[in-house]
Amino acid sequence: MSTLQTQLKNIPKILPKYAKILEKMELHSVEDLLLNFPFRYDDFSQASPISPEYINQTVTIEGMVTKSKLARVFRRKMTIAEITVEDSSGNSLKAVWFNQPFILESLKEGTPVRLSGKLTLKGKVLQMSNPAWERAGRETTNTGCLVPVYNETRGLTSKWLRWQIKPLLAIAQQMEDVVPYEIRQRLNLYDIYTALTQIHFPDSKEKLLRAQKRFAFQEMFLVQLKTLQIKSLWEGNASVPIAFDEKLIQNFVSGLPFKLTNAQRKASFEILKDLEKPAPMNRLLNGDVGSGKTMVAAIASLQAMQAGFQVVIMAPTEVLAKQHFESFNKIFEKYDFNIALLTNSYKLVSSHQSTVNGNDKVVISQWSTVIKNATAVISQQSTVNNCNAKDDRLPMTDDVILKRDVLLNKIQSGEINLVIGTHAIIQKDVAFKNLALIIIDEQHRFGVAQRAFLQQETMSANDPVKSATGHGASGQKKTIPHLLTMTATPIPRTLAIAMFGSLELSILDEMPKNRKEIVTKIIPATIRQEAYDFIRQQVHEGRQVFVILPLVEDSKVLTEIKAATSEHQRLSSEIFPDLRLGLLHGKLKSKDKEDVMQKFKDREFDILVSTSVVEVGIDIPNASVIVIEDADRFGLSQLHQFRGRVGRGEHQSYCFLFTNSNTDKATERLQAMEDSNDGFEISQKDLELRGPGQFFGLVQSGLPDIAMEHLSNIKLIKFARAEAQNILSSDPDLKKHPLLASALQKFQEKIHLE
Ligand code: ADP
Ligand code: MG
């Protein structure tokens, strides 16, 4: 008797060679297979007429078998089952199956049939090879018309998977339901068994939807449980109170080359007030691209550092960490702070000693090795002179790792005031002397659940064993750093409240005054050439251009998506042979990425062709045009974020949305980009169109998109939150809910950061 834990390789019906493929897909047990959801459903109810207009498309047709015969190809020991189907349009097609002679027993002449597959033209005959098929009833109903399609890998077809999953479904009855019975009753949710059955073999669209909603709820429920647990842990801690030194801040602000926006003022004030409390701040700085979040972060950092505490700033990627390192060195040029960059792949340690009081020399001689390399890094962008080191990329030698130790010591001793890096900082054994503020620049990459865990990490970052602040520790309470999280792109207020009820909100809904509006235009294929001409003209005027593409290489599934590599090739040879083009994609090594980015910054390229996976948070003020290929494939928020890459300098900037789609829906979506430059407006629209699941990219959580799509209303989040709250109020440690506790544990393992 099989159980959920039975290994697939031990199931007699699954031949070893298939079991091996399943292993490669990370499907080991029966449970794994049952939780491997279809990624889409073919709708047999939407039949198209048989017509040459669908050649090379996948369609479902419905008709009558008019001919049925079996052919044998003796030489190749093969049989071909062949039928002719005619539909009400009067057209007919031929369908063939290889080595499946039994099909003909079901599809005799006069049988109504549905076929789903790719329509091709063989000679003058319309044909389908190996289509999915089913006998059609006399009357057409919607039932049984949704055919699940799974991710197919190396010889495993959806049909095969369906055939394997069907008999195993009964075992799902043994599965314990993570969502407690009362909650299911209250919210009218399917139990796990029904939900799984309907996910794999939906009886109707309505039932499929209910099943998907149930899984979306489950996901959100776990996220909320985790978030709330962490919130209460968080609130049980203490933090060092940092006095608000008005004079210090005023001096700093008046020394800036611009006036702060009112929104920046207000947010800074809210943060500084939080820092004064002996309880840990947990605040989200929610603002549009370019709204000046960095400056607000700088003000908070300044206050903490001046009071003698250490600050950490974490970025999601190394490129961004480095950029922050450069900005903060510049912002604090006139202050006597030591700033360090600490990232993983560099294995590089660098620090910046500012030159106030003329005491830098002493420090440099003390730190000679560290500083030498540091200046090499800094020298690329900032005005730090007297350094002629060309080698900005440090070799990964023991030597450097040793230097890392040196820096770690300096962090521990408190010599370093500000550490900038990737989130690896807090996960590694980096010890601080008196870390009082952690700032996370999210760049929208961390999922909601990931954020919860990240927060958990931050809580232990300042372990009392590692650090001794001596301040603010009250009684038994542990002292943890204040936390400021920054969004990369605005989150609609309603969603932020629903999702992050545990955070205080500061909103930057106002852009700095000096901004020129970016001109956005949808460019259909017909006027593409004009856009290219315009780009050449911009380059001739000295500007630079981004070209963003959806995927890194031609994938079988999405062949129409342009590959960055081939597009780079095409643009270089056919469109802009006279210009200099760079290529950036996620498969490049981290160092090579940096290299390309640097060259673009140094204007060695006119045009940078890049995939979206690569961090575009980078600041290139000279770039005035961004082209987004297949723009309709991106979410609006993401498009808006891309757009924020231009318009950072004094030049009028342009965003071209290339599209090959002319469906109304795609155009309407893109229209929103033409109509508005307001990030909050766009993200609200994005939320309405795609739902919070897509909006937040909960994809990392392991649930298929299809379930997340149904996380389509804030109501569902609110319910999940209320139910989670309800459970935790009587059972904070989930002692009475072991199933939930272990689900959370698994959840944590699954989505744990890197
Ligand atoms: P984001 O919110 O996207 O992180 P940044 O902090 O990088 O935005 O700011 C974008 C640019 O705007 C930076 O070059 C910064 O120096 C500049 N900036 C910030 N605040 C103001 C302001 N109040 N007025 C003018 N420019 C500003
Ligand atoms: Mg930023």
Side-chain angles (χ1 to χ4, degrees):
M1 186 58 207
S2 298
T3 68
L4 287 167
Q5 301 322 320
T6 301
Q7 295 296 296
L8 294 170
K9 58 175 184 256
N10 297 333
I11 298 208
K13 205 174 148 193
I14 299 179
L15 299 175
K17 86 169 181 190
Y18 291 118
K20 273 215 185 91
I21 303 177
L22 290 169
E23 300 258 294
K24 286 212 181 95
M25 296 165 76
E26 296 290 321
L27 302 175
H28 308 287
S29 64
V30 168
E31 184 168 25
D32 293 341
L33 190 60
L34 291 175
L35 292 175
N36 177 46
F37 295 168
F39 76 96
R40 72 177 159 88
Y41 298 81
D42 279 341
D43 189 349
F44 271 59
S45 66
Q46 303 288 316
S48 316
I50 300 175
S51 158
E53 96 183 73
Y54 299 116
I55 286 170
N56 286 328
Q57 294 182 30
T58 298
V59 287
T60 297
I61 62 99
E62 194 174 327
M64 195 73 86
V65 180
T66 55
K67 237 187 252 166
S68 169
K69 70 168 188 190
L70 185 69
R72 282 178 202 280
V73 185
F74 288 106
R75 251 187 317 152
R76 293 163 65 189
K77 292 191 183 141
M78 195 165 71
T79 63
I80 303 175
E82 184 183 306
I83 62 168
T84 303
V85 177
E86 190 180 310
D87 75 356
S88 53
S89 71
N91 290 335
S92 61
L93 64 71
K94 205 152 98 181
V96 294
W97 291 268
F98 301 98
N99 293 328
Q100 300 181 51
F102 50 86
I103 284 179
L104 294 183
E105 317 222 326
S106 314
L107 298 181
K108 301 211 164 82
E109 279 168 36
T111 315
V113 66
R114 288 193 197 97
L115 301 175
S116 184
K118 194 167 165 187
L119 197 64
T120 54
L121 196 63
K122 280 270 157 73
K124 285 187 174 165
V125 182
L126 291 170
Q127 186 169 317
M128 280 184 182
S129 289
N130 292 313
W133 62 272
E134 65 173 14
R135 291 173 61 149
R138 294 257 160 236
E139 62 233 72
T140 34
T141 62
N142 274 350
T143 51
C145 290
L146 293 170
V147 177
V149 181
Y150 298 85
N151 277 318
E152 300 182 357
T153 314
R154 282 166 287 193
L156 287 194
T157 63
S158 286
K159 196 151 194 165
W160 186 88
L161 282 163
R162 286 197 294 272
W163 178 61
Q164 291 295 348
I165 291 171
K166 193 140 208 173
L168 297 177
L169 260 178
I171 304 174
Q173 281 166 326
Q174 302 166 15
M175 207 179 272
E176 288 180 288
D177 205 323
V178 175
V179 182
Y181 176 77
E182 309 78 46
I183 296 181
R184 280 186 272 128
Q185 288 295 303
R186 246 195 313 274
L187 301 179
N188 198 16
L189 298 172
Y190 277 151
D191 61 79
I192 184 76
Y193 173 67
T194 312
L196 277 176
T197 309
Q198 292 302 326
I199 277 277
H200 289 293
F201 301 97
D203 287 328
S204 68
K205 277 186 188 164
E206 290 67 37
K207 290 185 176 175
L208 172 61
L209 192 72
R210 260 185 89 180
Q212 291 176 329
K213 278 206 168 136
R214 185 226 128 94
F215 286 112
F217 174 86
Q218 176 176 328
E219 182 82 358
M220 200 30 65
F221 179 57
L222 291 178
V223 168
Q224 295 298 339
L225 277 173
K226 191 75 209 172
T227 310
L228 288 168
Q229 269 187 332
I230 288 172
K231 175 178 192 257
S232 74
L233 267 179
W234 191 262
E235 286 167 353
N237 289 306
S239 262
V240 286
I242 303 169
F244 179 6
D245 180 347
E246 249 183 283
K247 195 135 200 187
L248 170 80
I249 302 299
Q250 258 166 20
N251 270 337
F252 174 77
V253 170
S254 61
L256 292 175
F258 44 72
K259 246 183 101 202
L260 289 185
T261 64
N262 285 329
Q264 280 173 314
R265 265 172 207 287
K266 183 157 176 268
S268 304
F269 187 73
E270 285 164 348
I271 292 165
L272 293 167
K273 280 291 174 198
D274 277 359
L275 291 180
E276 286 198 303
K277 296 176 191 152
M281 167 171 80
N282 191 6
R283 189 172 277 278
L284 179 69
L285 182 57
N286 186 8
D288 202 348
V289 193
S291 59
K293 293 183 286 287
T294 311
M295 200 42 75
V296 176
I299 288 172
S301 309
L302 171 64
Q303 182 63 79
M305 290 193 290
Q306 195 68 26
F309 296 104
Q310 288 174 301
V311 176
V312 156
I313 297 178
M314 292 191 293
T317 65
E318 302 200 343
V319 181
L320 290 170
K322 199 173 142 202
Q323 192 171 287
H324 275 318
F325 179 65
E326 286 151 10
S327 320
F328 279 86
N329 270 311
K330 213 161 162 208
I331 291 171
F332 293 129
E333 220 165 30
K334 301 206 183 82
Y335 291 80
D336 195 7
F337 298 131
N338 293 323
I339 303 172
L341 172 69
L342 182 56
T343 71
N344 243 345
S345 91
Y346 277 119
K347 294 271 190 283
L348 125 70
V349 165
S350 59
S351 78
H352 175 63
Q353 171 67 42
S354 53
T355 50
V356 163
N357 304 339
N359 63 0
D360 52 335
K361 284 213 176 72
V362 185
V363 180
I364 284 173
S365 66
Q366 259 175 0
W367 292 17
S368 55
T369 46
V370 176
I371 292 295
K372 188 167 147 257
N373 292 320
T375 46
V377 168
I378 296 163
S379 66
Q380 294 169 6
Q381 272 89 24
S382 73
T383 49
V384 174
N385 31 39
N386 75 351
C387 92
N388 44 14
K390 273 214 251 116
D391 181 22
D392 59 291
R393 286 164 302 161
L394 293 176
M396 288 204 226
T397 61
D398 290 346
D399 206 24
V400 176
I401 291 165
L402 200 99
K403 282 172 208 151
R404 184 186 168 91
D405 290 347
V406 174
L407 183 83
L408 293 187
N409 281 334
K410 306 222 171 268
I411 293 173
Q412 185 155 25
S413 73
E415 250 176 279
I416 302 286
N417 307 95
L418 174 58
V419 185
I420 300 174
T422 52
H423 57 248
I425 298 180
I426 49 162
Q427 291 172 333
K428 293 286 149 59
D429 53 345
V430 181
F432 296 87
K433 179 175 176 234
N434 56 6
L435 177 59
L437 172 63
I438 295 181
I439 299 173
I440 304 177
D441 194 4
E442 286 189 64
Q443 214 59 33
H444 215 128
R445 210 194 65 164
F446 301 125
V448 178
Q450 279 181 316
R451 177 178 307 105
F453 293 112
L454 194 63
Q455 203 175 331
Q456 197 172 37
E457 307 267 3
T458 55
M459 246 183 286
S460 51
N462 209 24
D463 201 293
V465 184
K466 289 189 201 166
S467 70
T469 63
H471 298 266
S474 56
Q476 312 279 47
K477 284 189 178 176
K478 197 172 125 184
T479 302
I480 64 169
H482 295 285
L483 178 64
L484 176 66
T485 311
M486 305 194 285
T487 59
T489 196
I491 303 171
R493 195 185 194 111
T494 44
L495 183 60
I497 291 168
M499 211 68 172
F500 312 112
S502 58
L503 304 183
E504 304 297 324
L505 266 186
S506 288
I507 298 181
L508 294 188
D509 51 3
E510 184 189 352
M511 295 299 262
K513 291 269 166 348
N514 55 3
R515 293 292 147 80
K516 286 204 179 76
E517 289 254 304
I518 297 164
V519 176
T520 303
K521 271 198 98 51
I522 302 172
I523 310 279
T526 45
I527 57 167
R528 203 168 253 254
Q529 191 53 48
E530 285 170 45
Y532 287 143
D533 293 343
F534 183 82
I535 287 171
R536 171 169 289 104
Q537 189 193 324
Q538 286 281 305
V539 171
H540 285 160
E541 285 170 25
R543 302 288 81 74
Q544 286 168 288
V545 178
F546 286 102
V547 175
I548 307 289
L549 294 137
L551 273 184
V552 71
E553 55 197 287
D554 281 310
S555 86
K556 280 189 194 122
V557 200
L558 300 164
T559 37
E560 73 272 31
I561 296 183
K562 290 195 180 52
T565 14
S566 62
E567 180 66 0
H568 173 258
Q569 185 63 37
R570 189 185 76 88
L571 289 176
S572 319
S573 60
E574 292 170 29
I575 314 285
F576 301 117
D578 50 328
L579 305 181
R580 300 161 306 165
L581 278 77
L583 173 64
L584 190 64
H585 58 71
K587 297 234 166 124
L588 287 179
K589 288 208 192 77
S590 178
K591 268 190 193 164
D592 296 337
K593 273 196 234 170
E594 301 273 345
D595 216 46
V596 176
M597 260 347 288
Q598 197 54 54
K599 283 190 173 150
F600 192 49
K601 252 189 164 168
D602 297 343
R603 302 200 190 185
E604 284 181 40
F605 300 128
D606 304 307
I607 298 176
L608 183 68
V609 180
S610 166
T611 58
S612 59
V613 289
V614 111
E615 37 295 318
V616 283
I618 202 97
D619 213 355
I620 313 270
N622 189 47
S624 67
V625 183
I626 183 160
V627 171
I628 302 162
E629 281 279 355
D630 291 315
D632 45 287
R633 297 199 175 267
F634 292 102
L636 290 179
S637 296
Q638 211 182 350
L639 289 175
H640 181 69
Q641 216 195 337
F642 287 141
R643 178 164 64 181
R645 292 311 120 213
V646 295
R648 301 201 141 220
E650 78 254 40
H651 314 290
Q652 174 60 52
S653 295
Y654 305 86
C655 172
F656 294 149
L657 306 172
F658 281 18
T659 174
N660 296 311
S661 160
N662 39 24
T663 65
D664 289 347
K665 209 173 153 198
T667 326
E668 187 207 313
R669 236 161 48 87
L670 294 182
Q671 192 64 45
M673 293 294 297
E674 267 193 10
D675 294 347
S676 174
N677 261 305
D678 179 334
F680 279 98
E681 219 173 276
I682 296 216
S683 64
Q684 181 61 38
K685 183 103 190 171
D686 197 27
L687 177 65
E688 284 160 19
L689 289 170
R690 294 194 305 161
Q694 289 295 308
F695 188 90
F696 277 115
L698 280 169
V699 191
Q700 306 101 313
S701 66
L703 255 200
D705 283 7
I706 205 148
M708 295 325 299
E709 270 165 34
H710 293 281
L711 190 55
S712 56
N713 50 31
I714 288 175
K715 232 161 66 191
L716 192 139
I717 301 178
K718 287 195 168 146
F719 280 135
R721 190 174 187 84
E723 295 294 350
Q725 231 148 11
N726 189 21
I727 285 193
L728 290 174
S729 66
S730 62
D731 185 17
D733 303 322
L734 296 177
K735 288 215 171 68
K736 284 176 265 168
H737 296 84
L739 206 56
L740 274 178
S742 81
L744 274 187
Q745 186 58 38
K746 267 197 222 150
F747 194 53
Q748 169 154 7
E749 283 158 19
K750 200 163 67 176
I751 61 178
H752 197 70
L753 297 157
E754 293 177 5

